[in-house]
């Protein structure tokens, strides 16, 4: 990647799930523009993302999103040193739209295209807008598709310490919200409701004292059983009980992982990191243990393309991710942080 005319910018494109996003980010991780076209309203009536609808909408939205991102950034394609696009993990049809668009633009503009791992994107969100992270850092990634703890030693370098064995935290939120008929995405809805309720249900805290792996499907089933057994439960009390159980597990795992390593900071990224309740609990943990807490700005916690461009910048610093890979790469829907998973 070389800079053109003294300025170097990366255009990020993200379409792995139900947001079509484009952003322009400079080499100091400054965000010149970040456009997110959400499909939330289209999917909410189904209680979750419908892959076929998602990919069709990406087809309509991706070029307008890129145009808006470039216009708002006030730059021309000649000032781009790369286009970074999410290669996986995600929905195959949705990924294919973003990757095809990125390749077409790269070819037309003569700009290299860099494939980016969506999870590396979430992790790189920590650096956007000049935020710094003291390393080594313990990072918790909590999104709709993933829940994992990783040791972050250098920019762009992560070692997975434990992941979920079944549902992710975001998935559990979304399924419980669907069970209560509250709409999609469940995270913000349940979080809000939880603050009006009381944690009256004695729900399990799965694997809370066992290793650094997670499991949330049992918790989701326990909520379903309790709701079926007691018709008189207030949704706010169910939400408060569920959120309390999730937070207890996340914070306890963080505390135990921190004890096992020599970390200078603790960070939380991914869609669920937008939760004010989680932010508050992690801040308190940091204060208790006297360790620095790092959180991306809320708008960069949920899916966005600025984090995809940021991951490409950090790949350049560490060369962990492939540098401009030509146009021969394809989508990798089952990509994990450590590479492809058997699915
Ligand atoms: O990272 P993300 O935007 O997409 C994926 O990569 O999956 O995460 C989406 C997840 C959804 O499950 C959503 O319910 C959850 O993040 N989420 C939240 C909040 N905002 C989004 N969960 C808890 N509290 C929130 N405020
Ligand atoms: Zn995501």
């Amino acid at each position: 990647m070389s800079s053109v005319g003294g300025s170097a910018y990366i255009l990020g494109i993200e379409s792995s799930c139900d947001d079509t996003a484009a952003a322009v980010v400079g080499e100091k991780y400054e965000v010149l523009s970040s456009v997110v076209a959400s499909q939330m309203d289209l999917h909410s009536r189904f209680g979750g993302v419908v892959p076929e609808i998602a990919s069709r909408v990406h087809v309509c939205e991706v070029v307008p999103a890129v145009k808006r991102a470039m216009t708002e950034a006030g730059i021309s394609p000649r000032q781009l040193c790369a286009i970074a696009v999410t290669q996986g993990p995600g929905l195959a049809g949705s990924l294919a739209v973003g990757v095809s668009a990125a390749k077409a633009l790269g070819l037309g503009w003569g700009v290299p295209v860099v494939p980016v791992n969506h999870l590396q994107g979430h992790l790189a969100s920590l650096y956007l807008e000049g935020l710094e992270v003291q390393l080594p850092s313990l990072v918790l990634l909590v999104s709709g598709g993933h829940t994992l703890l990783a040791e972050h030693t250098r920019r762009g370098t992560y070692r997975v310490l434990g992941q979920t064995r079944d549902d992710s935290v975001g998935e559990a939120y979304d399924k419980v919200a669907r069970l209560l008929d509250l709409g999609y995405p469940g995270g913000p809805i349940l979080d809000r409701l939880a603050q009006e309720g009381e944690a009256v249900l004695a729900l399990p805290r799965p694997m809370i004292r066992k290793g650094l792996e997670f499991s949330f499907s049992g918790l989701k089933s326990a909520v379903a059983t309790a709701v079926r057994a007691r018709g008189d439960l207030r949704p706010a009390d169910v939400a408060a009980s569920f959120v309390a159980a999730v937070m207890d597990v996340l914070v306890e795992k963080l505390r135990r992982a921190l004890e096992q390593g020599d970390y200078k900071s603790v960070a939380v990224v991914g869609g669920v990191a937008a939760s004010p309740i989680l932010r508050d609990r992690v801040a308190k943990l940091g204060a208790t243990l006297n360790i620095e807490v790092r959180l991306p700005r809320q708008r960069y916690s949920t899916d966005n393309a600025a984090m995809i461009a940021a991951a490409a910048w950090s790949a350049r610093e560490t060369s962990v991710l492939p540098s401009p890979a030509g146009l021969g790469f394809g989508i990798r829907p089952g990509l994990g942080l450590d590479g492809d998973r058997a699915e």
Side-chain angles (χ1 to χ4, degrees):
M1 295 180 212
S2 61
S3 63
V4 180
S7 51
Y9 302 105
I10 294 183
L11 168 67
I13 298 179
E14 153 63 36
S15 70
S16 64
C17 192
D18 60 339
D19 293 305
T20 322
V24 175
V25 176
E27 63 190 319
K28 297 203 164 51
Y29 295 80
E30 69 276 24
V31 181
L32 275 70
S33 62
S34 178
V35 174
V36 181
S38 169
Q39 304 178 9
M40 210 181 283
D41 294 346
L42 282 172
H43 298 285
S44 64
R45 80 183 90 146
F46 302 104
V49 178
V50 183
E52 181 65 22
I53 295 178
S55 52
R56 283 165 190 253
V57 177
H58 284 309
V59 170
C60 304
E61 297 288 343
V62 69
V63 173
V66 168
K67 275 193 183 157
R68 243 186 81 195
M70 293 295 286
T71 307
E72 283 178 18
I75 64 156
S76 79
R78 281 178 50 76
Q79 289 169 281
L80 291 175
C81 60
I83 298 172
V85 62
T86 305
Q87 178 183 38
L91 302 170
S94 294
L95 290 166
V97 176
V99 167
S100 308
K103 286 181 180 179
L105 291 169
L107 205 58
W109 289 341
V111 176
V113 183
V114 185
V116 169
N117 180 323
H118 182 82
L119 304 178
Q120 291 265 4
H122 275 302
L123 294 161
S125 67
L126 283 173
Y127 291 98
L128 285 168
E129 294 187 341
L131 294 187
E132 280 302 329
V133 182
Q134 282 210 60
L135 300 177
S137 181
L138 176 72
V139 191
L140 172 69
L141 190 163
V142 270
S143 71
H146 294 79
T147 296
L148 60 84
L149 273 170
E151 184 179 77
H152 175 25
T153 45
R154 276 199 318 148
R155 214 176 266 207
T157 307
Y158 307 90
R159 186 170 69 88
V160 177
L161 301 172
Q163 347 202 10
T164 182
R165 293 184 174 179
D166 40 59
D167 290 355
S168 70
V169 176
E171 207 173 342
Y173 262 100
D174 294 340
K175 286 177 179 169
V176 168
R178 187 157 56 191
L179 180 84
L180 299 175
D181 225 359
L182 294 173
Y184 170 86
I189 301 169
L190 283 176
D191 258 9
R192 220 173 305 123
L193 203 56
Q195 297 179 54
E196 296 160 18
E198 242 183 278
V200 294
L201 288 177
L203 294 172
R205 269 68 172 156
M207 297 182 69
I208 192 160
R209 288 186 220 296
K210 202 167 151 218
L212 297 180
E213 292 197 313
F214 303 85
S215 168
F216 290 102
S217 71
L219 174 59
K220 168 202 68 191
S221 306
V223 174
T225 307
V227 169
R228 264 197 300 273
R230 290 181 49 185
D232 61 329
L233 283 171
R234 290 172 56 221
D237 291 344
V238 178
S241 309
F242 167 75
V243 172
V246 169
M247 295 303 156
D248 285 353
V249 172
L250 295 179
V251 171
E252 178 59 15
K253 294 271 173 185
L254 278 174
R255 197 186 61 72
R256 292 184 47 233
L258 285 169
E259 265 175 16
Q260 291 172 26
D262 189 15
Y263 297 104
K264 293 213 173 97
S265 65
V266 56
V268 187
V269 299
V272 184
S275 160
I277 301 177
L278 181 55
R279 288 176 166 254
D280 190 50
R281 289 282 302 261
V282 176
K284 287 196 175 113
L285 177 75
T288 308
L289 300 182
N290 197 21
I291 187 163
E292 185 185 88
V293 173
R294 280 287 168 253
L295 299 161
R297 292 181 208 285
Q298 231 160 350
R299 61 180 171 280
Y300 302 129
S301 296
T302 46
D303 284 352
N304 65 89
M307 69 185 197
I308 302 303
W313 278 121
S314 54
R316 196 170 84 146
E317 287 178 36
T318 60
S319 73
V320 164
L321 283 175
S323 38
L327 298 179
F329 69 90
I331 61 166
R332 290 168 70 181
L335 194 59
L337 191 57
D338 290 336
D340 286 303
R341 284 170 292 148
E343 288 199 310

